[in-house]
Amino acid sequence: MTSMAAIQLSDFAKRNNIDIEKTPLESMAFATQMDAAPSIAATTFRSDFAFPKVGAVSQTPVDPASKDADVVYMVGNSLGLMPKAIRTLINQELDVWAERGVNGHFDHPHNRPWVTVDDNVLEETSRIVGAHSGEVAIMNTLTSNLHLVLASFYRPTSTRFKIIMESRAFPSDYFALSSQTNFHGFDSSTAVIEIVPREGERTLRTEDIEAVIEREGDSVALVLFSGVQYYTGQFFDIPRITRAAHAVGAMAGFDLAHAVGNVPLELHDWNVDCAVWCTYKYLNSGPGNIGGLFVHSKHNGSNLPRLTGWWGSDPASKFTMNNQFQGIPGAAGYRLSNPSVLATTSLLASLQTFAKTDMQALRAKSVLLTGYLEYLLRNVLAKERPGKFEIITPEDPSMRGTQLSLMLQEGQLERVFAGLIDRGVVADERRPDVIRISPAPLYCTFEDVFRVYLSFREVL
């Protein structure tokens, strides 16, 4: 049976005059021609990013002559590449600090006064997550932001106190949710419900998520899922989960760490109550960098309780210093302190690249890139090396982001992972047996994907 990936690749090739009879899908020539297709080339910004060299990541490269070559970077789902523009922008801020000191808050030669530094990243971030003006704040880090929105959107009562989440969510989410239930006096072992896949399946069916929410009914205070599941790469149906939560009177929130900059999002139109994310994965802002927060505008003026700080107060009265908190409507009212100038400016460097395209165009390329990787691994390599690995990411492109998770035979992870590194392929390992491969569309190419296939073929 012809795979969906093969059909999509063949259709795209035909529309772009690529003859797959002369240049079959399982050839570097096909990959090269795909990279040259106008819609692919228009969404590839490799020159905007700094690539590590093979010799810097491997002490024992298979080809010693490759030590000065760029790695094949397939780990944007863990840490995105460094935008080259960061050096210039950060040095500008350091110069302003050196030359103007505290005056840089209001007098900035590059029109980025520090007192409003986050304004420079709000518009593009809002476009990426599908938010309206005032629904996004750039602040803190992911889990601290999660606790802040939980203070507003997890308001348990003696009868409505449960939180529903997916099983094997990123541990920080579970820690935050379980600690919140414990903080409110509930037993997390019964207050936090983790939905597991059906027996023999790796990912969750949306109808099963809906069924659990409906079953738990008015005992549910909050449904909080990942947008894209970090381990399997499953892209959850955010609108359906949100509707199911609202149908039982619960709030709907999402951790978008692996979704933002990866898949198109329409948080406002999907009626999501709240969401949080980091910016160092697909948004390429740098290790451990600043987080983001979304609060739907329907909650403006709803008097939800929240934890407050100086930077969430009305700028018009903030500097009167009279201890009268006048909260800014929307997400900005959740800010506690002024955001780091260096962290926010690092994010700006990446968003300048995102502004050259849009999420729909990146998604179209991502589907093809990930589909090509799947085709080469599932339809070619798996037949050559049967039983060596299993792809646990959904086969349906609409149910995954730009990631494939490969479950290897038991005990093979360290050997295979090291073999990839020595061939200049940087991926991500998740113990005990999974390697995650993420061809981020901003800077990854079809030739990169083909090199991943060749490397796996050698190592397996």
Side-chain angles (χ1 to χ4, degrees):
M1 178 169 45
T2 305
S3 69
M4 189 179 304
I7 293 171
Q8 290 178 325
L9 290 163
S10 298
D11 287 347
F12 182 88
K14 184 177 181 180
R15 294 196 305 272
N16 286 271
N17 300 313
I18 301 172
D19 187 345
I20 61 173
E21 296 296 327
K22 296 180 180 178
T23 53
L25 272 63
E26 55 272 21
S27 69
M28 181 62 87
F30 174 81
T32 301
Q33 291 189 48
M34 288 291 286
D35 284 328
S39 65
I40 301 299
T43 51
T44 304
F45 303 96
R46 288 176 72 86
S47 63
D48 285 8
F49 295 91
F51 283 78
K53 303 300 181 182
V54 173
V57 301
S58 172
Q59 302 301 312
T60 54
V62 171
D63 177 10
S66 71
K67 64 183 179 65
D68 293 324
D70 292 345
V71 301
V72 176
Y73 198 80
M74 291 281 162
V75 69
N77 57 342
S78 184
L79 178 66
L81 285 176
M82 188 191 87
K84 293 177 181 177
I86 279 182
R87 290 190 188 276
T88 298
L89 293 176
I90 291 298
N91 282 334
Q92 287 174 351
E93 299 303 338
L94 295 177
D95 289 342
V96 173
W97 184 17
E99 296 166 6
R100 306 200 180 193
V102 70
N103 290 336
H105 282 91
F106 300 96
D107 180 18
H108 197 289
H110 305 288
N111 199 30
R112 297 194 300 267
W114 299 335
V115 72
T116 55
V117 67
D118 48 334
D119 286 355
N120 301 305
V121 297
L122 291 179
E123 182 178 353
E124 187 60 32
T125 302
S126 296
R127 189 170 73 100
I128 290 171
V129 302
H132 286 190
S133 177
E135 292 182 326
V136 167
I138 298 299
M139 51 187 276
N140 305 331
T141 52
L142 191 156
T143 305
S144 58
N145 286 339
L146 179 55
H147 278 294
L148 286 173
V149 296
L150 289 173
S152 292
F153 292 96
Y154 179 57
R155 305 299 301 166
T157 68
S158 60
T159 57
R160 185 187 287 277
F161 60 90
K162 294 180 181 177
I163 299 176
I164 294 179
M165 65 185 301
E166 85 263 23
S167 66
R168 296 203 69 164
F170 198 81
S172 194
D173 283 357
Y174 178 79
F175 298 154
L177 297 178
S178 62
S179 68
Q180 283 279 337
T181 58
N182 293 336
F183 178 80
H184 285 281
F186 298 96
D187 182 349
S188 61
S189 66
T190 55
V192 178
I193 298 174
E194 299 178 82
I195 305 179
V196 300
R198 297 185 186 188
E199 186 175 353
E201 297 183 2
R202 302 291 188 185
T203 56
L204 289 171
R205 301 189 188 191
T206 306
E207 59 266 30
D208 291 348
I209 298 171
E210 293 171 320
V212 172
I213 295 172
E214 182 179 7
R215 182 193 72 204
E216 298 297 329
D218 58 11
S219 70
V220 182
L222 173 70
V223 176
L224 196 136
F225 264 69
S226 303
V228 171
Q229 220 282 338
Y230 88 99
Y231 188 75
T232 66
Q234 179 179 6
F235 180 17
F236 288 114
D237 193 329
I238 296 174
R240 281 180 62 179
I241 294 172
T242 299
R243 288 194 296 270
H246 291 166
V248 299
M251 295 290 191
F254 293 87
D255 174 352
L256 303 177
H258 290 82
V260 65
N262 175 7
V263 293
L265 299 167
E266 296 293 342
L267 298 183
H268 179 89
D269 291 346
W270 293 343
N271 207 24
V272 169
D273 293 296
C274 61
V276 294
W277 58 89
C278 58
T279 64
Y280 51 79
K281 300 180 187 297
Y282 296 101
L283 293 187
N284 314 298
S285 72
N289 206 12
I290 200 162
L293 176 151
F294 167 88
V295 176
H296 199 285
S297 59
K298 68 183 179 181
H299 295 294
N300 292 355
S302 63
N303 295 319
L304 282 172
R306 62 184 175 195
L307 302 177
T308 57
W310 188 40
W311 223 248
S313 188
D314 184 357
S317 59
K318 181 183 301 180
F319 289 95
T320 61
M321 316 297 279
N322 61 6
N323 288 351
Q324 299 299 310
F325 182 80
Q326 297 177 326
I328 304 171
Y334 283 78
R335 298 181 304 179
L336 301 181
S337 304
N338 51 323
S340 162
V341 170
L342 300 184
T344 307
T345 302
S346 294
L347 173 59
L348 174 63
S350 177
L351 295 182
Q352 289 175 343
T353 296
F354 274 94
K356 299 175 184 178
T357 182
D358 58 58
M359 285 307 303
Q360 287 68 35
L362 288 173
R363 174 63 167 168
K365 179 185 175 184
S366 167
V367 167
L368 291 169
L369 272 177
T370 310
Y372 190 43
L373 178 63
E374 180 197 17
Y375 173 80
L376 293 172
L377 295 179
R378 191 191 303 274
N379 293 67
V380 182
L381 187 58
K383 293 178 181 178
E384 297 176 354
R385 309 283 194 274
K388 295 289 187 179
F389 65 89
E390 174 192 356
I391 298 176
I392 63 173
T393 305
E395 189 171 355
D396 182 348
S398 69
M399 294 181 62
R400 67 187 183 205
T402 180
Q403 174 183 320
L404 292 183
S405 297
L406 277 62
M407 181 170 287
L408 305 176
Q409 288 180 318
E410 185 177 354
Q412 295 299 306
L413 179 63
E414 289 188 12
R415 181 187 68 81
V416 172
F417 190 74
L420 293 176
I421 289 288
D422 288 343
R423 288 161 177 80
V425 174
V426 181
D428 178 77
E429 60 176 341
R430 294 289 153 166
R431 297 183 184 279
D433 302 307
V434 167
I435 288 180
R436 304 185 304 163
I437 311 169
S438 176
L442 275 182
Y443 49 75
C444 288
T445 65
F446 286 83
E447 288 191 359
D448 287 338
V449 167
F450 195 78
R451 290 190 179 97
V452 171
Y453 154 69
L454 292 179
S455 297
F456 260 109
R457 189 180 185 190
E458 292 180 6
V459 174
L460 290 177

